[in-house]
Amino acid sequence: MKKVLFIDRDGTLAIEPPIDYQLDSLEKLEFYPGVFRWLGKIADELDYELVMVTNQDGLGTDSFPEDTFWPAQNKVIQAFKNEGVEFAEVLIDKSFPEDNAPTRKPRTGLLTKYFSEAYDLENSFVLGDRITDMELAKNLGAKGIYLSEDPELGVNEIETPKEDIVNAIALTSTDWKAIYEFLKLEDRVTEITRNTNETKIYIKLNLDGSGKNDIDTGLKFFDHMLDQIGRHGSMDLTIKVDGDLEVDEHHTIEDTMIAFGELFNKALGNKLGIERYGFCLPMDDCLAQVAVDFGGRNWLEWDAEFKREKVGDMPTEMFFHLFKSFTDGAKCNLNIKAEGDNEHHKIEGIFKAFAKAMKMAVKRDANKMFLPSTKGML
């Protein structure tokens, strides 16, 4: 299945004339800085079919004659072709907004061929500088990259809730390098629902987040430790668990970490460009050391002893088990060691070091998108 990058023209590739908003002469034609270099790299390195989709209000009428439009349009197409960027299709709607034409963005009348099994619209993008471009993404079942000189203002201008329009990211329209890096690194947001007779679990993970967490497992100390992972690992975590705590804590903790590990492995995807390895840190009297390898094999080495039966509402015997459950799901090696006298400090230090190890290991470099393995697979 082919992924598609649906690209608006004015305000995205070429700077939209600020007075009449019509790019109807060669004198008005000015490209955004970096667009040839970075769109060229997108065309060369990434697996997207490029499609230009543009509304040109009243093209062919007295207010916008075609003979003033085509010289500039042909120059745009030829300039990109000269740099190795060719559009599979160039789709132009000529209607006015009040016409409500089915072919006018955000409607999909020009794009019916892409609603087929040959195209992967779920992982395709609409790239544009207007809310209608983001609405088009929603109507296609694709994702949106919203370009604005003021991204925060632009997103807030969407009258309906952002999530009701599209899963859109806001970037400044002049930063084509950021567009390239975003597309190359891909979105590492995923979710999982895991229901059994013992637990009902929902987890959503953004590996490239900022530590925003919404966690409720029914076990307050477990929530606190999972929050450490999100906060210190710079991940966004939503975890909701309804477990059989009337029996004991075992199923809730075990099943949550199995699901979390499986989700982590899914979010890593093809693992291209990741550091793969990653940390030790002090916490008062404790020294916690966590080493990780996302090499595709599960293993846990554990060197930490606890004298108390519980820390908070969590049995200390479950600490080994929860990390073992994670390694089984995530297919990674973990080596964990903690020294110290205070049991709370030891386990919290382990979770913080675990979070830092995760952050280090999943970090990516857009300029080094190769697999960190001599075997050629992970």
Side-chain angles (χ1 to χ4, degrees):
M1 297 175 69
K2 299 177 184 177
K3 296 185 296 183
V4 185
L5 190 59
F6 300 97
I7 307 176
D8 183 35
R9 190 192 73 167
D10 304 342
T12 305
L13 301 172
I15 297 174
E16 194 166 41
I19 298 176
D20 56 8
Y21 303 107
Q22 284 188 346
L23 183 48
D24 55 4
S25 70
L26 292 174
E27 289 74 16
K28 292 181 178 180
L29 178 58
E30 183 179 357
F31 294 99
Y32 276 108
V35 64
F36 292 108
R37 177 184 179 186
W38 298 109
L39 185 54
K41 287 176 73 67
I42 290 171
D44 287 342
E45 300 174 13
L46 307 183
D47 189 25
Y48 287 98
E49 184 172 300
L50 305 183
V51 176
M52 183 185 293
V53 188
T54 177
N55 290 340
Q56 297 296 326
D57 299 355
L59 179 60
T61 65
D62 291 341
S63 63
F64 195 0
E66 292 211 26
D67 60 359
T68 64
F69 169 79
W70 286 110
Q73 170 64 11
N74 291 337
K75 184 69 173 178
V76 169
I77 298 300
Q78 188 60 48
F80 279 104
K81 187 175 182 180
N82 290 345
E83 298 299 322
V85 178
E86 296 195 50
F87 295 92
E89 285 200 84
V90 176
L91 305 173
I92 302 171
D93 179 77
K94 304 177 182 181
S95 66
F96 288 105
E98 58 270 20
D99 295 340
N100 293 318
T103 53
R104 182 179 178 83
K105 292 187 297 183
R107 299 171 186 86
T108 60
L110 287 175
L111 303 169
T112 54
K113 67 169 283 185
Y114 296 99
F115 291 99
S116 76
E117 294 182 355
Y119 291 96
D120 181 7
L121 290 179
E122 183 179 355
N123 292 302
S124 297
F125 286 88
V126 176
L127 178 61
D129 68 321
R130 296 181 184 273
I131 300 304
T132 50
D133 294 310
M134 301 303 96
E135 292 172 331
L136 175 63
K138 177 189 175 183
N139 294 338
L140 288 169
K143 303 173 187 178
I145 301 177
Y146 179 57
L147 307 182
S148 170
E149 295 296 347
D150 187 347
E152 287 301 319
L153 176 63
V155 171
N156 291 336
E157 283 177 348
I158 301 177
E159 294 180 0
T160 51
K162 177 181 171 184
E163 60 270 17
D164 287 348
I165 287 189
V166 72
N167 180 20
I169 181 171
L171 298 171
T172 56
S173 56
T174 55
D175 195 353
W176 268 91
K177 180 182 178 182
I179 297 169
Y180 160 76
E181 289 182 344
F182 173 77
L183 289 171
K184 184 159 187 176
L185 294 178
E186 297 184 341
D187 192 10
R188 296 193 293 183
V189 179
T190 188
E191 57 189 343
I192 189 172
T193 298
R194 187 181 191 272
N195 294 332
T196 70
N197 292 333
E198 298 165 343
T199 55
K200 293 178 173 58
I201 297 170
Y202 170 78
I203 306 177
K204 183 175 182 179
L205 167 68
N206 178 2
L207 274 185
D208 305 298
S210 57
K212 297 177 182 178
N213 303 315
D214 181 11
I215 300 170
D216 183 7
T217 67
L219 296 167
K220 294 302 182 184
F221 191 77
F222 192 30
D223 294 349
H224 180 46
M225 293 300 99
L226 292 171
D227 185 58
Q228 301 295 325
I229 295 175
R231 194 70 57 89
H232 295 286
S234 296
M235 310 168 199
D236 294 340
L237 277 175
T238 299
I239 302 178
K240 301 295 180 181
V241 183
D242 181 12
D244 57 354
L245 295 177
E246 70 279 4
V247 176
D248 69 3
E249 307 88 349
H250 188 103
H251 297 144
T252 293
I253 296 170
E254 178 183 53
D255 290 1
T256 298
M257 293 306 289
I258 290 173
F260 185 38
E262 291 174 352
L263 189 63
F264 217 94
N265 187 52
K266 180 180 178 182
L268 283 174
N270 58 24
K271 301 181 182 178
L272 293 178
I274 68 168
E275 292 292 333
R276 178 177 169 180
Y277 304 101
F279 207 84
C280 87
L281 59 79
M283 186 171 179
D284 297 331
D285 62 296
C286 171
L287 178 65
Q289 303 175 66
V290 177
V292 65
D293 173 16
F294 284 103
R297 300 181 304 278
N298 56 300
W299 192 268
L300 174 63
E301 285 292 325
W302 178 264
D303 185 5
E305 295 183 359
F306 298 91
K307 299 173 184 177
R308 288 166 53 183
E309 181 181 350
K310 282 190 172 185
V311 177
D313 53 3
M314 282 187 68
T316 54
E317 68 177 10
M318 287 302 299
F319 293 141
F320 166 85
H321 195 65
L322 72 87
F323 285 108
K324 177 63 168 62
S325 298
F326 179 84
T327 63
D328 290 344
K331 296 181 174 60
C332 70
N333 289 181
L334 272 178
N335 191 304
I336 297 176
K337 182 178 181 180
E339 303 169 352
D341 298 317
N342 187 288
E343 308 291 69
H344 185 116
H345 289 166
K346 278 196 289 188
I347 192 57
E348 186 165 336
I350 287 173
F351 270 89
K352 286 179 177 178
F354 175 76
K356 288 294 187 181
M358 298 298 104
K359 181 180 179 180
M360 181 185 297
V362 305
K363 183 180 179 181
R364 295 177 298 179
D365 186 338
N367 296 312
K368 298 178 181 178
M369 294 299 287
F370 50 79
L371 202 63
S373 171
T374 56
K375 294 182 178 180
M377 63 177 294
L378 287 178

